[in-house]
């Protein structure tokens, strides 16, 4: 509550500040537009809020000494998020990066670069823009030792230069994720409007401080297979525990609340949704990934409660939801509650829901139960030859703990995924005997499965192992997957929740490939 | 370019196969000054394109190469994929670039109410390795008949190079049939004729005798029926010469031979009933003293560069012998008559010997109506290739007995094999329930296509094991 009030204060203050700091007529017009145009008020306010917070930090005025949710102070950074902003772009080490990602506007203005600062790269970006305009419009790629993939979405151009041996379709999918993450912060409608209004607008002004989020997303794309499989990783819970958590969420509702999500250790515990307005529509896995990334990208979310506008690009790219984010177990901060509302003034009501949820969970001792839950491992399956498998979702065995090996294994799965889902010559099964492992990928109308064995395994052994594995998965299905998100109604006479509707991820006809594309 | 239409609920879809859009050769170091960009362009097809467009296209290629050099200075762009076409970049010699632009295959679906048809581009149908190999082959073929670009520059500057490029590619590009390129183009292999030891020795001693008698001869190659038996040339040279012989020279001269004895197509044996030998290159009629003749010149590599040679191709029935003599020597009519007299009878004899052996072997192994296994085999060490899938492969036609999609799956597997050096095995089941097995072992690759819809992985494995045991003497050891 304190934070929100401060934010509001900052908002008002910032409006006047912005106007005082006018340096050019065009800038003036923009802020005026932002402040006065009711239509655009969402993005305008959002923008100003962020900017203002940044500004205040510069002046040494913080919010209780903590940095804003979407910015980060150096000392709190984890090694994984060390900024590469200051890298020397002429050095060999810059060239050696496995995957570069660049975002620029149609006018050639740099917006984001994963490694190196946009300033230093502005001429390279200029060349990229020239290439895009010369070569026909549409999605193009250049193949060399690296693959260069160009993707144009509206007024934004995204470019990926990768030596990771992924295919162009996979890289394009990753660029799309980057695009969606930008949308999740600004909405598609406002980006279109901004560039329509001013072709050479510098979008970095609106994205200041959010490089971390894009960096985090790119790291996740590299290391987390749930993006590849368009699936959300669920923490395996006993049915009863999951049901009890769902019920707690279903009871703590308020008008305009549409989604309630519980997350533990970056895996989904449960998700419940409003039934009248949302009906059978569901959150696409990609939206959930973007949410998870947003939350995980900044440890500042661990401070108390956050109320922030967020757009869910696949659900509706043009409007904002308002997300209430709060960790239920400070200071470990492993369990996070996410409540999405369509009403931007509903902070207090939604915060009240959280209080109810917290109480109920305390009463049921849920937090300690959740803490006890273990992710499943291959050994549980009891199949001796099997080293690793991915069955939408997946598991991580000992062999591949080491980062590089994990990456290598994931690359192998990615290559198989691409071959199986080829648009012109898809396959049903791949059995690949290589020097360090044997891989088997199998897709049917009911599932897709990727497995990894020792290189010396015989075909008969591999088949037996797969059969055993599938039997085990069938047995544990209820524990491993969330099929149907329970629902609630926030209309005046809320009826009991009803089951039904499409499954969250285990769609029986789903062949894997994507709503993302 | 336009293949048979597909009927779809009364409306016809038109399928367009990949075709050549552009082919050009340029050097960015020529014409670096403003206004002199045209000097960079050494060859451009189609030639009737406006000058500025040519400059723009070449400029774009330069930009792309430069751009990729930012990320990897030593290995710049190989291809550019766009929705409608694909561009391939190849730098065979320092600063000389060859670019080929292929239009992607597409399907035209008619629309109702007089609306223009919708075009759907099939980008994935083009496999980079296949067409990349075709570009390289274009260069190799040019180099075979003209030597390197560098050498041309030395001999006569840019003007000579431009002339030679025009002369060569104008004709050669017309022989490209992009719709039938596949895995075999990636291999660029040679089909060897299987022989018993005795006959092989006979051929060897024939070659030795001829080389001894006609000391001018530097290298010899011996073929039977479009298949190689013996070669004294370096592998890389032989493989491009082989391609030329089997896709260009032999087909041009094969009709007369197939014609009946009394057919007017049959070349004049010129009163020489001692043998059936004749020159395929050089003098077509030795009896006519006025007739001028010329042998094509080829360039082969040596330790310290290249040498230029006359290419004499002499054929008797189904056997063909190639003799290569230094281009600095002038080959006279007398020499040709001498060669004719020496080689003619011996080659004719050899040809019938081989034919006999061949028929005998066939009788033993049994007639092969339809080969039992559909497979492709290639050995990187000796370039030996064998395919029971391709029924007739010339420059203009390539009939395969399997669906093109399956051939593309083979192409994909070959790409996968190329990523690592180690031995691997990949088995896939296609959507049509065909099984495709790829094995790579010790520089050899084998691809087998099995039409056994209800087979499972184990059964497929057993089938392939059986094939390997009979045809490949257990070279491939993976389980």
């Amino acid at each position: 509550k304190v934070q929100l009030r401060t934010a509001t204060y900052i908002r008002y203050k910032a409006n006047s500040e912005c106007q005082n700091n006018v340096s050019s007529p065009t800038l003036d017009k923009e802020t005026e537009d932002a402040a006065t145009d009711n239509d655009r008020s969402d993005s305008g306010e959002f923008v100003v809020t962020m900017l203002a917070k940044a500004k205040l930090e510069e002046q040494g005025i913080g919010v209780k000494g903590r940095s804003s949710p979407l910015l980060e102070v150096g000392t709190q950074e984890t090694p994984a998020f060390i900024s590469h902003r200051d890298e020397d772009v002429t050095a060999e080490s810059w060239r050696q990066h496995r995957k570069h990602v660049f975002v620029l506007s149609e006018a050639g203005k740099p917006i984001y670069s994963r490694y190196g600062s946009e300033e230093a790269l502005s001429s390279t970006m200029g060349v990229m823009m020239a290439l895009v305009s010369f070569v026909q419009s549409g999605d193009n790629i250049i193949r060399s030792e690296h693959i260069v993939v160009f993707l144009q979405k509206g007024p934004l151009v995204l470019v990926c230069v990768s030596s990771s041996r992924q295919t162009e379709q996979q890289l394009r999918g990753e660029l799309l994720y980057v695009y969606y993450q930008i949308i999740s912060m600004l909405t598609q409608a406002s980006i279109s409007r901004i560039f329509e209004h001013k072709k050479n607008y510098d979008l970095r002004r609106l994205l200041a401080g959010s490089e971390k989020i894009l960096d985090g997303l790119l790291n996740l794309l590299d290391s987390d297979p749930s993006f590849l499989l368009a699936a959300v990783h669920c923490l395996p819970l006993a049915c009863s525990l999951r049901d009890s958590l769902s019920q707690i969420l279903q009871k703590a509702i308020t008008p305009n609340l549409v989604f309630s999500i519980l997350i533990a250790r970056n895996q989904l515990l449960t998700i419940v949704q409003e039934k009248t307005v949302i009906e059978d529509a569901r959150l696409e896995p990609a939206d959930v990934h973007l949410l998870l990334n947003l939350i995980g990208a900044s440890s500042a979310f661990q401070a108390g409660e956050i109320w922030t506008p967020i757009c869910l690009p696949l659900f509706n790219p043009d409007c904002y939801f308002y997300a209430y984010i709060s960790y239920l177990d400070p200071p470990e901060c492993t369990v996070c509650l996410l409540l999405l509302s369509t009403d931007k003034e509903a902070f207090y009501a939604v915060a009240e829901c959280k209080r109810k949820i917290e109480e109920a969970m305390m009463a049921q001792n849920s937090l300690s139960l959740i803490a006890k839950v273990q992710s499943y491992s291959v050994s549980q399956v009891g199949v001796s030859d099997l080293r690793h498998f991915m069955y939408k979702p997946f598991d991580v065995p000992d062999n591949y703990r080491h980062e590089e090996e994990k990456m290598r294994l994931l690359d192998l799965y990615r290559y198989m995924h691409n071959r199986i889902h080829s648009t012109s010559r898809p396959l049903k099964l791949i059995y690949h005997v290589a020097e360090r492992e044997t891989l088997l990928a199998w897709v049917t109308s009911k599932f897709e499965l990727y497995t990894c064995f020792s290189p010396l395994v015989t075909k008969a052994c591999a088949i037996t192992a797969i059969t055993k594995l599938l039997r085990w998965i069938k047995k544990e299905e209820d524990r491993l997957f969330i099929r149907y998100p329970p629902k609630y109604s926030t209309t005046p006479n809320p009826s009991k929740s009803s089951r039904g509707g499409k499954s969250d991820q285990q769609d029986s006809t789903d062949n894997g490939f994507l709503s993302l594309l | 370019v336009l293949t048979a239409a597909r009927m779809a609920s009364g409306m016809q879809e038109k399928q367009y196969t990949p075709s050549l859009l552009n082919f050009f050769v340029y050097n960015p170091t020529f014409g670096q000054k403003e206004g002199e960009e045209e000097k960079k362009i050494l060859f451009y097809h189609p030639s009737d394109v406006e000058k500025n467009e040519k400059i723009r296209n070449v400029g774009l290629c330069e930009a792309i190469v430069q751009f990729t050099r930012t990320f990897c200075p030593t290995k710049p762009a190989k291809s550019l994929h766009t929705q409608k076409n694909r561009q391939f970049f190849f730098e065979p010699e320092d600063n000389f670039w060859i670019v080929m632009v292929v239009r992607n295959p597409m399907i035209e679906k008619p629309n109702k109410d007089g609306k223009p048809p919708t075009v759907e581009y099939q980008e994935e149908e083009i496999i980079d390795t296949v067409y990349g190999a075709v570009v390289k082959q274009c260069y190799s073929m040019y180099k075979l008949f003209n030597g390197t670009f560098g050498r041309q520059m030395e001999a006569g500057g840019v003007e000579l190079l431009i002339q030679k490029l025009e002369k060569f590619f104008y004709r050669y590009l017309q022989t490209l049939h992009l719709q039938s390129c596949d895995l075999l183009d990636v291999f660029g292999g040679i089909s060897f004729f299987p022989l018993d030891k005795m006959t092989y020795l006979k051929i060897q001693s024939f070659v030795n005798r001829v080389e001894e008698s006609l000391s001018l001869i530097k290298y010899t190659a011996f073929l039977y029926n479009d298949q190689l038996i013996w070669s004294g040339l370096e592998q890389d040279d032989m493989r491009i010469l082989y391609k030329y012989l089997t896709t260009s020279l032999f087909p041009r001269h094969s009709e007369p031979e197939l014609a009946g004895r009394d057919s007017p197509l049959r070349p004049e044996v010129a009163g020489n009933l001692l043998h059936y030998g004749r020159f395929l290159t050089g003098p077509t009629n030795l009896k006519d003293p006025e007739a001028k003749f010329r042998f094509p010149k080829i360039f082969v590599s040596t330790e310290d560069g290249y040498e230029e040679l006359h290419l004499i191709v002499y054929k008797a029935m189904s056997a063909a012998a190639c003799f290569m003599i230094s281009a600095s020597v002038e080959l006279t009519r007398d020499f040709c008559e001498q060669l004719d007299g020496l080689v003619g009878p011996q080659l004719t004899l050899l040809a019938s010997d081989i034919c006999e052996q061949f028929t005998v072997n066939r009788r033993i192994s049994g007639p092969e109506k339809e080969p039992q296994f559909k497979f492709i085999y290639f050995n990187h060490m000796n370039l030996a290739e064998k395919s029971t899938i391709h029924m007739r492969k010339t420059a203009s036609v390539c009939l395969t007995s399997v669906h093109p999609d399956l051939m593309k799956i083979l192409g994909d597997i070959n790409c996968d094999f190329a990523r690592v050096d180690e031995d691997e095995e990949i088995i896939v089941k296609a959507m049509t329930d065909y099984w495709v097995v790829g094995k790579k072992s010790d520089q050899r690759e084998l691809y087998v296509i099995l039409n056994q819809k209800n087979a499972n992985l184990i059964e497929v494995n057993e089938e392939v094991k059986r094939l390997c045991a009979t045809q490949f003497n257990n070279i491939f050891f993976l389980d």
Side-chain angles (χ1 to χ4, degrees):
Chain A
K1 287 174 194 167
V2 173
Q3 256 186 329
L4 184 64
R5 255 192 250 126
T6 322
T8 317
Y9 163 74
I10 292 167
R11 197 190 305 154
Y12 292 136
K13 184 106 171 63
N15 268 344
S16 50
E17 285 229 20
C18 270
Q19 277 156 22
N20 289 338
N21 287 340
V22 154
S23 51
S24 77
T26 46
L27 185 60
D28 210 345
K29 182 170 193 317
E30 270 172 277
T31 39
E32 255 179 37
D33 284 349
T36 57
D37 189 327
N38 285 329
D39 259 323
R40 297 193 224 161
S41 58
D42 281 356
S43 56
E45 281 177 4
F46 177 71
V47 166
V48 171
T49 311
M50 283 179 75
L51 280 176
K53 280 195 179 144
K55 235 174 155 15
L56 287 169
E57 249 128 57
E58 272 165 32
Q59 295 163 20
I61 306 168
V63 177
K64 278 202 184 168
R66 301 194 76 108
S67 46
S68 84
L70 294 166
L71 299 174
E72 189 82 5
V73 175
T75 50
Q76 287 171 357
E77 285 186 28
T78 58
F81 290 151
I82 287 174
S83 172
H84 297 274
R85 295 282 101 69
D86 301 319
E87 249 190 80
D88 176 9
V89 304
T90 56
E92 187 59 32
S93 53
W94 183 81
R95 277 197 284 271
Q96 303 272 15
H97 283 298
R98 193 179 122 99
K99 194 183 292 174
H100 290 267
V101 175
F102 308 98
V103 183
L104 43 145
S105 73
E106 247 178 344
K109 273 244 155 59
I111 295 174
Y112 167 80
S113 159
R114 191 183 190 186
Y115 301 113
S117 81
E118 301 88 51
E119 293 309 321
L121 291 164
S122 58
S123 61
T124 312
M125 294 215 183
V127 174
M128 284 190 249
M129 201 50 233
L131 288 178
V132 168
S133 56
F134 261 119
V135 182
Q136 62 195 177
S137 66
D139 309 328
N140 309 310
I141 80 157
I142 298 175
R143 248 225 170 87
S144 55
E145 257 323 279
H146 297 70
I147 295 191
V148 185
V149 181
F150 292 85
L151 175 69
Q152 179 150 16
K153 290 290 279 183
L156 296 185
V157 174
L158 301 99
V159 185
C160 172
V161 181
S162 166
S163 59
S164 69
R165 282 179 155 174
Q166 283 167 285
T167 63
E168 63 192 85
Q169 293 87 351
Q170 286 167 343
L171 292 172
R172 198 170 289 148
E174 296 194 355
L175 285 181
L176 209 53
Y177 257 111
V178 174
Y179 173 73
Y180 284 139
Q181 189 82 75
I182 295 178
I183 299 283
S184 74
M185 296 186 273
L186 301 177
T187 77
Q188 189 161 277
S190 51
I191 291 182
S192 309
R193 248 194 322 257
I194 290 169
F195 282 101
E196 237 172 69
H197 189 210
K198 193 172 180 211
K199 274 226 148 22
N200 61 345
Y201 184 77
D202 186 351
L203 202 64
R204 281 177 302 176
R205 298 163 62 185
L206 296 184
L207 288 173
S210 59
E211 296 91 357
K212 198 131 301 86
I213 296 175
L214 294 178
D215 286 347
L217 176 67
L218 289 170
N219 288 339
L220 274 183
L221 281 168
D222 277 340
S223 59
D224 187 346
S226 44
F227 289 85
L228 174 70
L229 295 177
V232 180
H233 204 172
C234 292
L235 198 64
L237 288 182
C239 251
S240 53
L241 178 55
R242 209 191 297 279
D243 282 349
S244 71
L245 291 171
S246 303
Q247 275 164 23
I248 293 176
L249 291 181
Q250 276 171 312
K251 294 207 184 95
I253 56 179
T254 176
N256 294 314
L257 188 68
V258 285
F259 287 105
S260 311
I261 306 173
L262 253 184
I263 300 160
R265 296 180 235 144
N266 265 320
Q267 295 166 61
L268 197 60
L269 283 176
T270 181
I271 176 171
V272 304
Q273 63 191 63
E274 195 274 345
K275 82 169 178 226
T276 320
V277 172
I278 304 285
E279 284 178 350
D280 282 338
R282 53 191 174 129
L283 269 189
E284 294 294 335
D287 281 337
V288 179
H289 290 146
L290 294 172
L291 281 172
L292 289 177
N293 180 51
L294 199 66
I295 297 172
S298 170
S299 60
F301 275 113
Q302 295 171 6
E305 319 155 286
I306 306 290
W307 178 246
T308 179
I310 186 164
C311 166
L312 297 176
L314 281 104
F315 197 85
N316 183 340
D318 296 326
C319 76
Y320 281 111
F321 285 92
Y322 294 86
Y324 175 92
I325 303 167
S326 171
Y327 280 89
L328 299 177
D329 60 340
E332 292 92 10
C333 292
T334 58
V335 181
C336 181
L337 175 66
L338 179 60
L339 299 169
L340 296 174
S341 167
T342 54
D343 178 6
K344 70 175 180 284
E345 308 295 347
F347 174 78
Y348 297 103
V350 174
E352 182 60 26
C353 292
K354 177 238 180 176
R355 217 188 36 79
K356 281 195 223 153
I357 293 168
E358 232 178 353
E359 262 176 33
M361 283 178 70
M362 196 114 64
Q364 295 183 18
N365 204 14
S366 315
L367 282 179
S368 61
L369 286 173
I370 293 170
K372 287 209 195 89
V373 172
Q374 301 238 318
S375 220
Y376 50 86
S377 75
V378 167
S379 44
Q380 281 181 3
V381 180
V383 178
S384 56
D385 294 295
L386 188 61
R387 275 187 185 175
H388 183 270
F389 70 92
M390 276 193 337
Y391 181 99
K392 235 178 138 138
F394 88 134
D395 114 324
V396 182
D398 295 336
N399 278 49
Y400 297 96
R401 277 283 146 74
H402 188 239
E403 273 312 308
E404 265 172 30
E405 279 302 291
K406 250 200 213 168
M407 195 72 101
R408 199 178 62 81
L409 181 63
L410 194 49
D411 278 346
L412 291 170
Y413 284 151
R414 280 195 263 248
Y415 129 78
M416 287 205 293
H417 186 272
N418 178 62
R419 286 267 184 256
I420 280 215
H421 293 290
S422 155
T423 49
S424 74
R425 33 193 189 273
L427 303 170
K428 287 188 183 175
L429 180 141
I430 302 179
Y431 186 86
H432 186 151
V433 181
E435 209 198 12
R436 286 147 86 173
E437 55 270 302
T438 291
L439 302 160
L440 191 154
W442 189 13
V443 87
T444 68
S445 56
K446 295 211 163 62
F447 62 81
E448 56 185 295
L449 172 69
Y450 301 87
T451 53
C452 169
F453 299 88
S454 131
L456 301 172
V457 77
T458 64
K459 290 179 181 67
C461 251
I463 299 212
T464 319
I466 299 281
T467 322
K468 274 199 212 163
L469 172 66
L470 288 171
R471 232 179 274 143
W472 179 83
I473 290 176
K474 187 94 188 116
K475 203 167 57 108
E476 300 288 325
E477 232 172 18
D478 290 332
R479 220 170 55 89
L480 298 172
F481 310 127
I482 297 178
R483 277 190 181 280
Y484 308 112
K487 297 188 177 171
Y488 53 77
S489 167
T490 60
T491 53
N493 295 311
S495 48
K496 287 225 171 63
S497 70
S498 51
R499 294 210 151 211
K502 291 197 192 137
S503 68
D504 198 74
Q505 71 220 49
Q506 180 78 67
D507 196 324
S508 56
T509 56
D510 196 22
N511 216 8
F513 231 35
L514 308 191
S515 48
L516 180 58
L517 296 176
Chain B
V1 159
L2 188 65
T3 60
R6 273 193 249 160
M7 301 294 286
S9 58
M11 302 232 251
Q12 285 189 328
E13 274 183 357
K14 282 195 230 160
Q15 167 86 56
Y16 291 87
T17 52
S19 62
L20 183 68
L21 277 182
N22 293 99
F23 189 99
F24 47 93
V25 182
Y26 74 94
N27 185 324
T29 61
F30 302 167
Q32 278 177 329
K33 284 190 251 172
E34 275 286 328
E36 288 195 339
E37 291 86 2
E38 206 185 353
K39 290 198 180 161
K40 297 181 195 174
I41 306 176
L42 301 168
F43 172 79
Y44 199 101
H45 162 86
S47 52
D48 55 358
V49 161
E50 207 226 312
K51 178 178 100 163
N52 282 329
E53 195 185 315
K54 290 187 192 180
I55 294 177
R56 206 169 58 93
N57 286 342
V58 170
L60 176 61
C61 294
E62 273 186 88
I64 290 173
V65 169
Q66 274 308 102
F67 176 67
T68 52
R69 280 223 160 96
T70 328
F71 299 99
C72 187
T74 50
K75 293 183 186 163
K78 287 202 286 227
S79 66
L80 167 71
H81 299 211
T82 67
Q83 187 199 31
K84 297 184 184 150
N85 55 48
R86 194 154 306 186
Q87 279 191 359
F88 297 93
F89 307 93
F90 178 49
E91 188 187 20
E93 298 172 40
D94 276 345
N95 290 316
F96 284 97
W97 286 88
I98 301 182
V99 178
M100 179 170 84
V101 185
V102 177
R103 198 208 51 213
N104 289 339
M106 53 192 202
I107 298 182
E108 208 177 67
K109 298 190 179 124
N111 275 325
K112 300 184 196 146
D113 311 333
K115 281 197 214 141
T118 20
V119 177
E120 186 192 297
Y121 291 95
Q122 301 171 303
E123 273 183 71
E124 275 203 36
E125 300 291 314
I126 301 229
I127 302 184
D128 272 4
T129 40
V130 170
Y131 292 90
V134 172
V135 181
K136 293 195 177 125
Q137 223 167 53
C138 287
Y139 171 73
S140 299
M141 196 64 88
Y142 172 86
K143 196 175 73 161
L144 179 67
F145 290 104
N146 294 281
T148 61
F149 297 148
R151 197 203 144 269
Q152 217 88 68
M153 294 284 297
E154 277 171 36
V158 187
E159 297 77 30
L160 180 64
L161 178 59
I162 292 179
Q163 219 181 67
K164 294 282 184 180
L165 285 169
E166 173 72 39
K167 189 161 166 227
F168 176 81
F169 280 113
Y170 178 72
R171 258 194 315 159
Y172 185 71
L173 291 179
Q174 290 171 24
T175 67
L176 280 184
H177 290 266
L178 297 178
Q179 69 272 24
S180 49
C181 295
D182 62 19
L183 185 61
L184 289 188
D185 290 286
V186 177
F187 293 147
I190 300 174
S191 185
F192 283 93
F193 189 81
L195 268 188
D196 61 289
K197 288 199 193 78
M198 268 316 286
T199 320
Y200 185 78
L201 280 172
K202 282 191 199 166
I203 294 171
Q204 264 230 284
S205 67
F206 159 77
V207 170
N208 288 339
R209 276 199 308 275
V210 175
E211 284 188 347
E212 224 192 283
S213 316
L214 301 171
S215 54
L216 285 175
I217 296 178
K218 282 188 111 172
Y219 310 102
T220 313
F222 194 103
L223 295 94
Y224 187 85
N225 249 353
D226 277 14
Q227 291 179 292
L228 187 66
I229 294 178
W230 160 263
S231 162
L233 282 177
E234 289 283 335
Q235 245 185 25
D236 277 339
D237 295 320
M238 190 61 230
R239 99 205 278 183
I240 192 68
L241 179 63
Y242 175 81
K243 181 145 174 86
Y244 164 68
L245 293 171
T246 55
T247 60
S248 179
L249 188 66
F250 291 165
R252 254 188 282 152
H253 290 92
S254 68
E255 266 73 276
E257 284 183 340
L258 298 174
R261 218 156 268 197
D262 301 319
S263 158
L265 282 173
R266 196 157 177 79
E268 270 201 49
V269 186
N272 188 344
L273 299 169
L274 292 174
H275 63 83
Y276 286 112
R278 60 195 179 98
F279 285 90
L280 291 190
T281 61
T284 41
N285 186 358
L286 273 177
K287 289 294 168 181
D288 181 359
E290 301 300 315
K292 291 213 166 53
F293 63 91
R294 212 179 50 87
F295 290 102
K297 302 248 184 42
I298 60 171
F299 291 78
V300 300
S301 49
T302 57
E303 271 160 17
D304 50 353
Y306 281 92
E307 56 180 332
E308 196 177 351
L309 305 161
H310 293 286
L311 174 66
I312 304 174
V313 183
Y314 189 91
K315 197 163 188 200
M317 300 198 298
S318 298
C322 302
F323 303 107
M324 284 151 270
I325 296 174
S326 171
S328 55
V329 174
E330 200 206 315
L331 296 180
T332 60
R333 176 167 294 283
D334 280 340
F335 175 80
C336 295
E337 284 179 355
Q338 196 190 2
L339 195 146
D340 181 66
L342 173 67
V343 175
Q346 294 188 45
L347 193 60
T348 310
L349 215 61
L350 262 179
S352 49
D353 267 349
I354 298 171
C355 186
E356 221 182 279
Q357 275 299 314
F358 189 54
T359 339
V360 162
N361 284 336
R362 280 196 112 178
R363 228 178 282 135
I364 294 177
S365 63
E368 277 177 38
K369 293 184 211 106
E370 165 106 12
Q372 207 192 352
F373 290 99
K374 292 200 209 286
F375 68 84
I376 293 180
Y377 167 82
F378 179 68
N379 184 335
H380 286 270
M381 292 183 288
N382 63 2
L383 306 184
E385 93 184 1
K386 178 166 181 175
S387 167
T388 58
I389 291 173
H390 295 81
M391 298 182 308
R392 245 190 78 204
K393 197 163 168 61
T394 65
S396 59
V397 129
C398 175
L399 290 178
T400 55
S401 57
V402 300
H403 193 277
D405 275 352
L406 285 172
M407 283 307 296
K408 293 192 183 103
I409 292 179
L410 294 196
D412 289 339
I413 296 179
N414 169 261
C415 277
D416 294 339
F417 281 159
R419 289 157 138 221
V420 291
D421 287 330
E422 292 88 29
D423 295 347
E424 294 200 333
E425 177 187 46
I426 297 179
I427 304 179
V428 305
K429 185 175 189 188
M431 281 310 216
T432 46
D433 287 331
Y434 273 81
W435 287 88
V436 179
V437 179
K439 279 176 175 297
K440 179 173 95 152
S441 172
D442 196 30
Q443 301 277 311
R444 298 174 176 90
E445 292 180 40
L446 173 68
Y447 301 86
V448 187
I449 297 180
L450 294 168
N451 178 8
Q452 289 173 356
K453 310 209 170 180
N454 297 320
N456 63 31
L457 190 63
I458 314 273
E459 287 163 4
V460 165
N461 196 40
E462 293 303 308
E463 273 289 294
V464 174
K465 265 193 194 164
R466 225 173 296 145
L467 164 68
C468 289
T470 54
Q471 300 252 3
F472 298 104
N473 297 326
N474 281 315
I475 300 174
F476 298 95
F477 287 120
L478 303 172
D479 168 56

